[in-house]
């Protein structure tokens, strides 16, 4: 008699479920339902086919094929089912043949690009992401697409270029993207890190750096340090002074020591020893006050950064006062400069190396600044290519808005007068130095359009109050909420470098959130 494992298994099952020996019977066969096929859309990016803007955040079921989407109607979003690498890219290719909606097609192209990055196929990833705009079809003309999703696709291209260590190309693409998404605060913050890959200061790059600083004032440092890298030390120092002015007018509690120490260093690099030392004395006086009052207890990082910046300032002062050998010795003895701003360190290295004998070009002065900068950029390119950083890229396509979604915010945005819709009443018990605007309770201005609606209404309020400036508080963490002050540009607390112009806000944003046409 033949014996098989299959037969043994059947016997075992029968034995377990058997009735007593005198009444045994064969149990019914349990049929395991076949697993549902996973949609190529879900395999591609974990999401179903196209879902309209109003449901984008709460994506659940796919829409029917009547909208041109070939998708299983019962398929739900599931990131866990998203494929990886080549398998994911193949799924995206299949999904693209089925999808007709332009917005969704761009999302699929972006996901395919990320899958190719997972496989470290940089050239194919670059070729793929460059098809994103054309994949949108007629939708590529949509003004909302060009302000939100297209810049994100371009930033993904910059990410690919950075991984390939093509730093100039990566930065140039980020600048191009920021020219399109200049009022999208979420995008501005995400693209900010790509603006320091070169020392180039073309008019286009300077414009997007300046806009980034007005949108999120703490971002001024990118422009300041690029100016520093180009030897424009006094202009860079003025930006630090402008930020201190704005922050002091906006915040009840602000500690300027790090900003003033950087201003002191930049002025020293420019050769103004007297002014530099006066700024240094101001910082040292404030540090002494903080320590004597006990306020410095939770400021260890701030104090350490400030201290190293002041140490570097003293090195440059020695250099300017003719003690070059002592200055180089102090710089070398310090070891790695990890806390001072890198652009200022490189500028200091350049001045210290100029005219130095070979015997003094050792240690941290042994390599030119460009070599140290190259090491830093190589590390940056490696750090963004980790599995975790690559996975985070899947969030890029999830923030977008169409022209229709922007225009939906028109009526509430243009409602100003005595009671602007977004302007909150001040807290009379504990009034802030700024006013608060928010769209949190507004259903017609949500997601990305909310951020631009707030800025447009701020411009309208400023115009109605007879002033030309809109200054945002130094940091911003929300799309739908801002702290804002209204005033005249050039007066205390409203530095031109960090203040948005009301007329420009209205001119730039009214085409996408137009003034409603009166109805009878």
């Amino acid at each position: 008699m033949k014996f098989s494992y299959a037969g043994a298994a059947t016997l075992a099952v029968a034995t377990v479920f058997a009735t007593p020996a005198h009444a045994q019977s064969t149990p019914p066969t349990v049929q395991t339902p076949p697993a549902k096929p996973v949609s190529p859309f879900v395999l591609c990016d974990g999401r179903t086919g196209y879902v309209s803007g109003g449901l984008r955040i709460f994506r659940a079921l796919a829409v029917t094929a009547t909208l041109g989407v070939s998708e299983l109607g019962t398929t739900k979003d599931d990131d866990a089912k998203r494929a990886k690498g080549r398998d994911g890219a193949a799924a995206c290719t299949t999904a693209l043949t089925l999808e007709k909606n332009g917005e969704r097609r761009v999302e699929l192209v972006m996901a395919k690009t990320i899958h190719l990055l997972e496989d470290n196929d940089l050239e194919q990833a670059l070729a793929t992401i460059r098809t994103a705009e054309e994949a949108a079809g007629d939708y590529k003309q949509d003004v909302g697409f060009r302000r939100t999703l297209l810049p994100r696709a371009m930033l993904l291209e910059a990410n690919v270029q950075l991984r390939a260590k093509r730093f100039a190309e990566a930065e140039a693409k980020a600048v191009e993207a920021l020219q399109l998404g200049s009022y999208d605060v979420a995008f501005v913050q995400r693209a900010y890190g790509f603006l320091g890959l070169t020392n180039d200061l073309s008019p286009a790059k300077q414009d997007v750096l300046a806009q980034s600083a007005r949108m999120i004032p703490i971002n001024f440092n990118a422009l300041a340090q690029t100016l520093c890298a180009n030897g424009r030390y006094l202009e860079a120092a003025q930006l630090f002074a402008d930020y201190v002015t704005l922050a002091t007018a906006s915040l009840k509690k602000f500690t300027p020591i790090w900003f003033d120490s950087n201003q002191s260093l930049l002025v020293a690099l420019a050769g103004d020893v007297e002014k530099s030392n006066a700024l240094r004395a101001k910082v040292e006086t404030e540090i002494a006050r903080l320590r004597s009052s006990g306020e410095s207890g939770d400021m260890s990082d701030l104090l350490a950064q400030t201290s190293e910046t002041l140490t570097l300032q003293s090195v440059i002062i020695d250099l300017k006062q003719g003690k070059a050998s002592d200055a180089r010795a102090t710089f070398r003895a310090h070891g790695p400069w990890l806390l001072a701003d890198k652009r200022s360190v490189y500028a200091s290295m350049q001045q210290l190396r100029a005219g130095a004998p070979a015997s003094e070009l050792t240690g941290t002065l042994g390599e030119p600044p460009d070599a140290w900068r190259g090491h830093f950029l190589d590390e940056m390119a490696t750090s963004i290519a980790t599995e975790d950083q690559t996975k985070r890229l899947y969030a890029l396509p999830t923030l977008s808005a169409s022209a229709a979604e922007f225009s939906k915010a028109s009526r509430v945005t243009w409602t100003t007068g005595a009671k602007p819709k977004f302007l909150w009443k001040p807290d009379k018990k504990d009034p802030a130095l700024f006013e608060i605007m928010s769209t949190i309770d507004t259903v017609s201005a949500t997601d990305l359009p909310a951020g631009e609606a707030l800025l447009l209404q701020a411009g309208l309020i400023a115009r109605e109050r007879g002033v030309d400036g809109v200054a945002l508080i130094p940091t911003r963490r929300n799309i739908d909420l801002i702290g804002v002050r209204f005033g005249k540009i050039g007066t205390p607390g409203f530095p031109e470098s960090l203040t948005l112009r009301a007329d420009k806000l209205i001119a730039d944003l009214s085409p996408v959130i137009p003034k409603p046409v009166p109805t009878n």
Side-chain angles (χ1 to χ4, degrees):
M1 179 177 75
K2 292 183 179 180
F3 182 84
S4 70
Y5 286 107
T10 302
L11 178 61
V13 171
T15 302
V16 170
F17 290 99
T19 56
H22 60 274
Q24 287 188 3
S25 62
T26 302
T29 302
V30 178
Q31 295 287 337
T32 303
K36 290 182 179 180
V38 180
S39 157
F41 292 89
V42 174
L43 289 171
C44 176
D45 63 1
R47 298 161 57 203
T48 57
Y50 174 68
V51 174
S52 64
L55 298 176
R56 187 177 290 110
I57 291 182
F58 305 101
R59 300 177 60 93
L61 299 177
V63 294
T64 64
T66 57
L67 289 184
V69 181
S70 178
E71 174 65 289
L72 297 174
T74 56
T75 298
K76 296 183 179 180
D77 291 358
D78 190 347
D79 284 346
K81 292 181 180 178
R82 184 174 61 216
K84 190 174 181 181
R86 289 286 170 185
D87 291 340
C92 294
T93 299
T94 300
L96 279 163
T97 65
L98 303 172
E99 182 62 75
K100 300 298 186 291
N101 178 272
E103 179 182 29
R104 186 70 179 107
R105 284 178 59 79
V106 175
E107 294 171 354
L108 295 170
V109 168
M110 293 175 72
K112 181 177 179 179
T113 302
I114 299 167
H115 284 303
L116 292 167
L117 291 179
E118 291 171 338
D119 207 48
N120 201 36
D121 189 343
L122 299 182
E123 295 312 310
Q124 192 58 43
L126 185 60
T128 298
I129 193 58
R130 284 177 170 171
T131 68
E133 186 173 1
E134 286 306 311
D138 292 341
Y139 186 64
K140 69 181 181 181
Q141 303 300 331
D142 184 278
V143 67
F145 167 71
R146 304 197 71 81
R147 298 177 82 89
T148 60
L149 190 55
L150 180 58
R152 284 167 172 78
M154 295 166 71
L155 190 65
L156 182 54
E157 181 179 336
N159 187 286
V160 177
Q161 296 281 29
L162 177 53
R163 291 167 185 247
K165 299 184 180 180
R166 294 191 281 260
F167 304 114
E169 291 88 341
E171 184 182 83
K173 183 55 65 172
V175 167
E176 187 182 346
L178 279 163
Q179 289 175 313
L180 293 178
S182 60
Y183 287 104
D184 178 346
V185 65
F187 181 72
V188 167
Q189 188 58 25
R190 183 144 197 170
Y192 170 75
F194 288 81
L195 297 180
L197 298 179
T198 76
N199 290 333
D200 171 67
L201 196 54
S202 65
K205 181 178 175 181
Q206 187 161 351
D207 284 347
V208 298
L209 283 167
Q211 174 68 0
S212 176
R214 293 186 181 104
M215 287 285 291
I216 308 172
I218 192 64
N219 286 1
F220 84 93
N221 194 33
L223 176 55
Q225 294 307 326
T226 305
L227 288 167
C228 171
N230 283 270
R232 295 162 64 175
Y233 306 120
L234 293 180
E235 291 175 69
Q238 185 58 51
L239 282 174
F240 276 91
D242 288 350
Y243 181 82
V244 171
T245 297
L246 180 135
T248 301
S250 305
L251 307 173
K252 291 182 179 179
K253 188 175 182 181
F254 170 64
T255 304
I257 56 174
W258 181 80
F259 302 94
D260 285 339
S261 67
N262 275 278
Q263 191 182 349
S264 172
L265 172 57
L266 288 163
V267 171
L269 287 166
D272 192 337
V273 173
E274 183 178 355
K275 183 176 179 180
S276 175
N277 281 334
L279 286 163
R280 179 192 179 98
K282 177 184 174 183
V283 175
E284 291 174 333
T285 298
E286 178 63 9
I287 290 174
R289 187 195 69 78
L290 290 169
R291 285 176 171 156
S292 65
S293 66
E295 296 176 55
S296 62
D298 59 350
M299 297 182 180
S300 57
D301 289 345
L302 177 63
L303 289 169
Q305 293 166 3
T306 301
S307 176
E308 181 164 288
T309 303
L310 290 179
T311 300
L312 188 54
Q313 182 263 358
S314 67
V315 168
I316 298 302
I317 292 297
D318 281 348
L319 178 68
K320 299 299 182 182
Q321 292 182 330
K323 296 179 281 187
S325 292
D326 290 343
R328 295 182 191 115
T330 303
F331 187 92
R332 294 193 306 268
H334 184 278
W337 296 81
L338 303 177
L339 302 179
D341 191 280
K342 285 183 170 54
R343 297 287 181 91
S344 295
V345 174
Y346 300 150
S348 299
M349 292 173 68
Q350 192 170 15
Q351 291 196 7
L352 288 164
R353 284 175 55 86
S359 59
E360 293 181 4
L361 295 179
T362 60
T364 48
L365 287 176
E367 286 188 293
D370 286 347
W372 285 98
R373 179 171 170 74
H375 300 326
F376 168 72
L377 291 174
D378 285 344
E379 290 173 5
M380 184 178 180
T382 301
S383 69
I384 70 159
T386 64
E387 182 176 357
D388 182 58
Q389 290 295 325
T390 302
K391 186 176 180 180
R392 291 183 182 184
L393 292 175
Y394 285 106
L396 260 182
T398 63
L399 278 176
S400 64
S402 66
E405 292 171 80
F406 275 97
S407 62
K408 190 173 71 171
S410 292
R411 189 165 300 281
V412 68
T413 302
W414 285 83
T415 302
T416 55
K419 294 183 178 180
K421 285 291 186 179
F422 303 149
L423 191 63
W424 287 9
K425 293 181 179 180
D427 185 342
K428 294 182 179 180
K429 293 182 179 180
D430 185 22
L433 298 178
F434 52 86
E435 297 179 72
I436 297 175
M437 296 181 68
S438 176
T439 63
I440 290 174
D441 299 324
T442 308
V443 295
S444 58
T446 59
D447 307 328
L448 292 184
E452 300 197 23
L454 285 171
L455 292 172
L456 174 54
Q457 189 170 100
L460 294 170
I461 292 171
R463 185 172 69 180
E464 290 180 358
R465 294 185 182 183
V467 296
D468 61 354
V470 175
L472 305 182
I473 61 172
T475 57
R476 182 176 174 187
R477 295 182 176 85
N478 305 92
I479 295 173
D480 55 7
L481 187 147
I482 58 174
V484 60
R485 292 179 301 109
F486 304 97
K488 292 186 176 180
I489 295 174
T491 59
F494 294 91
E496 183 173 2
S497 64
L498 300 176
T499 305
L500 293 158
R501 288 193 170 276
D503 57 355
K504 192 172 191 309
L505 286 172
I506 297 168
D508 290 350
L509 298 175
S510 56
V512 69
I513 307 178
K515 185 175 182 178
V517 177
T519 56
N520 294 328

